[in-house]
Amino acid sequence: MTAPNSPDSSPASPDSSSRRRLFKGLGAATFAAVALPACDSRPAAATPGSAGAAPETQPYTPRFFTADEWAFVRAASGRLIPSDALGPGAIEAGVPEFIDRQMDTPWAAGALWYMQGPFQADAPATLGYQSQLTPQQIYRLGLAAADGHVRKAHGKPFAQLAADAQDAVLHAIEAGQAQFDTVPAGLFFSLLLQNVREGFFADPVHGGNRGLAGWKLIGFPGVRADFMDWVERDVPYPLPPVDLSGRRG
């Protein structure tokens, strides 16, 4: 998984179809960021193997997020990749579950990085991750700050706002217009966006990409043994994707 300050992040758009096309175009590049070397590989609670992103067979109980945090993550994920005519969105594809499961890994605790000072927030990206906060801390502090910002401005939590109001809040957080005292708003947003993308395109074994929704969207064949003869053809791959467990979309 890429570091939380990955330069891959792209702006949330209030137009669902434009946002969906953006993620479809970025899908191939995202696979380089979802190798997930230290991620939770325990089977997901519900990962259907039939075509289409089927709904959860039973409600997922988050391991890391509180009820209020979980509501924000679900709602925000749904705005970053909404469901539309092109297919299921982040919620239907299990992206919030993916993010919660990642919080129970060494990666989320910062165990895979050098986390000693000095920290230089303005250092170029080539020098690596520069925040003293782990992904777990970024989410915990960022979600609390975002919730406080939304409640102060709107008098209700993020999950209860209308879709256009949620988009406006996400834009403000991404641009740093929402002032957070405990964590840079842009850092929180970039981590959330990156994890949403990863959850939508990673193998379903990690909890997201339910029903292989992300792979179907971009025509990725998955872990089929051999499809190299199709790589340079300017036509869609004719067979459905296959995940690590052998289930076909």
Side-chain angles (χ1 to χ4, degrees):
M1 184 177 291
T2 51
N5 60 346
S6 167
D8 281 346
S9 61
S10 49
S13 167
D15 180 80
S16 296
S17 60
S18 297
R19 180 160 51 226
R20 169 71 70 148
R21 286 194 296 271
L22 173 65
F23 275 96
K24 184 175 181 179
L26 291 174
T30 302
F31 286 111
V34 293
L36 307 175
C39 292
D40 185 351
S41 61
R42 286 171 284 182
T47 308
S50 58
E56 295 172 288
T57 57
Q58 56 184 343
Y60 174 76
T61 301
R63 306 170 182 174
F64 175 80
F65 295 117
T66 66
D68 289 343
E69 292 170 343
W70 182 241
F72 188 107
V73 169
R74 282 180 54 85
S77 298
R79 295 312 304 153
L80 292 172
I81 306 183
S83 59
D84 57 20
L86 293 176
I91 294 178
E92 295 80 7
V95 169
E97 176 180 336
F98 166 88
I99 298 175
D100 181 71
R101 284 157 56 90
Q102 297 313 300
M103 294 301 102
D104 191 27
T105 65
W107 169 82
L112 305 182
W113 309 329
Y114 179 79
M115 293 295 292
Q116 303 299 315
F119 302 98
Q120 300 182 29
D122 58 347
T126 52
L127 294 184
Y129 187 61
Q130 291 292 323
S131 176
Q132 59 185 313
L133 300 174
T134 68
Q136 289 177 341
Q137 293 169 328
I138 293 173
Y139 270 112
R140 191 118 285 164
L141 297 173
L143 289 169
D147 183 67
H149 169 78
V150 173
R151 289 178 183 271
K152 182 178 180 180
H154 299 276
K156 61 177 67 173
F158 180 83
Q160 295 181 15
L161 298 180
D164 57 348
Q166 290 179 340
D167 288 344
V169 168
L170 292 175
H171 274 296
I173 294 175
E174 177 188 23
Q177 297 169 353
Q179 297 299 315
F180 293 177
D181 295 331
T182 56
V183 60
L187 177 61
F188 165 68
F189 180 86
S190 66
L191 174 62
L192 174 63
L193 177 61
Q194 183 66 29
N195 288 169
V196 167
R197 289 176 57 189
E198 290 169 338
F200 197 69
F201 292 111
D203 190 278
V205 71
H206 302 293
N209 194 13
R210 183 176 297 123
L212 304 178
W215 292 359
K216 292 176 183 176
L217 177 68
I218 63 174
F220 181 65
V223 294
R224 287 186 172 274
D226 183 13
F227 55 89
M228 292 304 296
D229 56 331
W230 286 86
V231 170
E232 296 185 359
R233 300 187 189 185
D234 191 21
V235 294
Y237 187 69
L239 301 177
V242 179
D243 69 14
L244 285 172
S245 68
R247 286 172 291 196
R248 301 167 184 259

